[in-house]
Structure formats: structure tokens, C-alpha cells
Amino acid sequence: MSPVDKAVEERERERPQQTTSDGSEGIVLRVERLRKKIGRKWIVQDVTFQVRAGEVFGFLGPNGAGKTTTIRMLVDLIRPTGGSVTICGYDVRRQPEQALAYVGSIVENPEVYPYLTGWENLQHFARMMPGIKEQRIAEVVDVVGLDQRIHDKVKTYSLGMRQRLGIAQALLGRPKLLILDEPTNGLDPKGIKELRLFIRRLAEEGLAVFVSSHLLSEIQLLCDRVAIISRGRVLAVGAVEELISENSNYVVWELSPRDQGMKLLELEGITIIPQADTVLDDTIIAGMGEEAVVTQMLPENVRHIIPHLVAKGIHIHGVQKINPTLEQLFLELTEGEGIE
């Protein structure tokens, strides 16, 4: 065993245990009550979340919410006013070298040299890290799927290929946590899909992936869990589908006569949503008929309501539970603020 391999093995033995709140292993990144004040203005006021090994974690927020400031505190580019960031058991503020040894990141755009080949770029960055040999460079090239173009000049690369090269650079040091800031910026739909599948594969191999993005539909497809931030505060953290189902329960009824059916629903204590476009996706609205009535209610109560409607002569042509998209949940929680 080489001296470098021995040092890595010793570092792993000495590394504090990664534990979840129930005592089991799994938490790679722990952020608690993170705050940042610049002058008299609080940019980040209260940010708390955890990222586990093997998951893709999304970070969403409107303009000026504090996303970029938070990311910069995660990688020790700026110091927090209060709170803590812990990576693999190491405090970023007190033990930055140990903590950041487990992090690979692309903040904003990947920094590469266009006049060098992809391989030469990776060689350049590998020289800055102890123990990174050409075998590791070949491994990350294979992981990101650049083996056919790695010896071409980077100036000939598409934007998607540059993103992949940046991720390869971030993976050189075998990180436990990969932080990607707006990784799909500028990519076409094909490139976005390829990147999504690639990130999912990294997570399946045990890597914790933290993704900041404004493409809410992509976050819904990509992420296991998400944190929604507004005005420097985290408003919600949880599994994407759980957040959606817990915050709003919409049921669309197809009734005739519609007006009479709607009045009966109101008498049963059901909330009628008069402007469906404020809570439902446009594609769902486009498929609804003229007899549709959008309600907000617990789906399990549908079976109790149906007999009452039938008894009053209301014809029920269809009943469908509809979950809002992540975008609608986002707008609801942030009171309609714009997104980055």
C-alpha cells in the first residue's frame, strides 16, 4: 500500500461517524440555523436541512432568496454570521480542510481552459490534489461519458460536454458530496435529460448530490427531496411527492347539472376553487370539460360524498384526485414570487 493510500485509509478511520437523527448512518451534509448578514441586511436568516448519501437534494428559491449565498457558505467561500455547516462530521468553519476534502462542486459555471484538451484540463486540476493519478482521471472520464472526446480541445465542446467535464473535475477527489449550482443552464432538452440520468446514476452509486436549479419541472423529475427557500428562510423541506400531497389536496368532479352539484358540494363543507388556473397545471386544465368542478378536500372523503350527490339526482361522470406540480407548491409557499 502506497503512503497516499495509507493516508486516505487513516483519514477514513478517523472521520467522525455520519449519523441521522435516529442514530443511523447516512447524513453527509448537515446545515443548522445558517445565517448571513451583510451590513444591516439579513441575506440568509434561517436555513436548516440535511442531505443524505445516495440522494439528489434540490434547493429552490425566488430571486434574492439567498440560494447562492447559502451555497457559498457551504463551500467556505464566505463565512456565516451564525449557524453551522457540517460535512461528513467535520465543521466547515472550524475544520475547513477536512470537511472540504469530501466535497466536489461547481458553483455557477465550470472553470475550464478552452485552449487545452479535456484530458489536459483534468491533469491540471489533478496536480492540485494529493494522490490523484492518471488512472483516476480515466475513471472519471468514463463516468461522465467523455471518453470519445476527452483528447479534443475544450473550445470544440458543446455546453453539455463542458458541464460533464466540470463534473469530472469535481469527482477527481472521490467526494462524498457533489454540489451543482444551476447545472442545466443553457442546455437543450436532450442535454438536460442526459444530465438528469447521469446525476441519478451518481446518486445510485452512493454519492450525495445537492442541486440548485430554477427548472422546477426538472427538480420534480430529478430530486428525491427538496428545500424551498424564500427571503433567507427555508419554508419547507421534504420528499417532493410528500410536500405536494401534504400541502394541497385537489379533487376534480365532472358533474351534471354542474351548478346544482357545486351547491351540494358546498353544503357538504367542500371548498370550491373558482379559478382553477391558480392551483392546477395548464395541461390538466386543458383536459377538463365544461362540467368540471375543482375542489379542495381530503381524497378519502370522496366515497362519503358520492352517495349524497347521487341521492339528489346529480350525475357523476368522473372524479379525479389531482396533485399540484412543484411549481404551484413553490408559488403558493413563496406567495407568488418570481423564480431564478
Side-chain angles (χ1 to χ4, degrees):
M1 183 180 293
S2 69
V4 170
D5 292 334
K6 288 181 180 179
V8 171
E9 186 176 282
E10 183 177 347
R11 184 184 72 172
E12 287 296 316
R13 286 199 303 268
E14 293 178 351
R15 180 168 57 87
Q17 188 85 351
Q18 302 168 38
T19 59
T20 59
S21 57
D22 62 0
S24 61
E25 291 190 17
I27 293 181
V28 175
L29 171 64
R30 187 190 302 271
V31 180
E32 296 183 348
R33 303 297 305 277
L34 197 62
R35 303 184 298 281
K36 180 62 179 180
K37 189 176 186 180
I38 299 178
R40 296 184 177 181
K41 184 177 181 181
W42 285 99
I43 308 300
V44 173
Q45 299 185 60
D46 186 5
V47 170
T48 298
F49 60 83
Q50 300 169 353
V51 181
R52 302 164 187 151
E55 77 171 347
V56 183
F57 187 92
F59 198 51
L60 302 175
N63 291 319
K67 284 194 310 177
T68 300
T69 301
T70 299
I71 291 173
R72 290 181 176 277
M73 287 189 282
L74 298 185
V75 294
D76 201 37
L77 291 177
I78 58 175
R79 286 296 182 96
T81 304
S84 65
V85 177
T86 305
I87 298 173
C88 293
Y90 290 107
D91 187 287
V92 169
R93 190 168 187 175
R94 296 198 304 267
Q95 303 161 295
E97 291 186 9
Q98 295 95 322
L100 296 180
Y102 292 98
V103 179
S105 66
I106 302 177
V107 180
E108 296 178 325
N109 299 312
E111 297 294 335
V112 291
Y113 297 100
Y115 54 86
L116 298 178
T117 67
W119 185 272
E120 289 168 341
N121 267 276
L122 294 177
Q123 283 181 316
H124 171 73
F125 291 109
R127 294 187 192 104
M128 304 179 190
M129 305 176 184
I132 304 300
K133 301 178 181 179
E134 294 213 346
Q135 179 183 353
R136 178 57 183 168
I137 297 176
E139 288 174 357
V140 298
V141 167
D142 183 61
V143 166
V144 301
L146 277 179
D147 49 302
Q148 298 298 314
R149 296 289 305 277
I150 195 62
H151 294 292
D152 295 344
K153 300 283 188 183
V154 171
K155 64 184 178 182
T156 67
Y157 283 12
S158 66
L159 185 56
M161 292 171 65
R162 291 188 182 213
Q163 286 282 25
R164 285 174 175 264
L165 182 63
I167 293 174
Q169 173 194 329
L171 295 175
L172 280 172
R174 296 183 175 86
K176 303 289 186 183
L177 172 66
L178 180 63
I179 297 175
L180 303 176
D181 186 13
E182 301 283 358
T184 58
N185 266 0
L187 298 184
D188 59 22
K190 182 174 182 292
I192 291 174
K193 182 178 180 180
E194 290 176 351
L195 185 63
R196 182 174 70 238
L197 295 174
F198 170 62
I199 290 174
R200 287 275 11 141
R201 190 169 75 247
L202 291 178
E204 288 168 3
E205 293 173 358
L207 191 65
V209 185
F210 178 96
V211 179
S212 166
S213 176
H214 69 282
L215 295 176
L216 301 181
S217 59
E218 278 304 312
I219 287 293
Q220 191 163 358
L221 290 171
L222 173 64
C223 295
D224 302 298
R225 292 191 306 128
V226 63
I228 296 177
I229 181 175
S230 178
R231 299 186 180 97
R233 297 180 184 275
V234 169
L235 303 181
V237 181
V240 173
E241 296 307 321
E242 287 179 7
L243 283 177
I244 290 172
S245 61
E246 287 175 2
N247 280 273
S248 299
N249 293 289
Y250 298 108
V251 175
V252 179
W253 301 77
E254 296 280 349
L255 305 174
S256 64
R258 181 182 182 276
D259 291 343
Q260 186 179 343
M262 188 163 56
K263 289 177 181 178
L264 288 172
L265 288 173
E266 289 179 321
L267 289 174
E268 294 290 337
I270 304 302
T271 301
I272 307 296
I273 308 296
Q275 293 182 303
D277 58 348
T278 63
V279 296
L280 297 183
D281 186 81
D282 290 342
T283 56
I284 296 173
I285 295 172
M288 293 185 342
E290 294 181 357
E291 298 176 334
V293 178
V294 180
T295 64
Q296 188 169 19
M297 60 181 291
L298 294 175
E300 54 264 33
N301 290 338
V302 168
R303 59 191 178 95
H304 302 300
I305 301 297
I306 288 176
H308 295 282
L309 294 174
V310 173
K312 296 293 184 179
I314 304 300
H315 296 282
I316 303 172
H317 303 290
V319 183
Q320 184 180 8
K321 175 189 173 184
I322 300 291
N323 281 333
T325 63
L326 184 59
E327 181 172 7
Q328 288 149 355
L329 172 61
F330 178 94
L331 294 173
E332 181 180 327
L333 290 173
T334 60
E335 299 177 352
E337 291 182 61
I339 58 175
E340 294 182 0

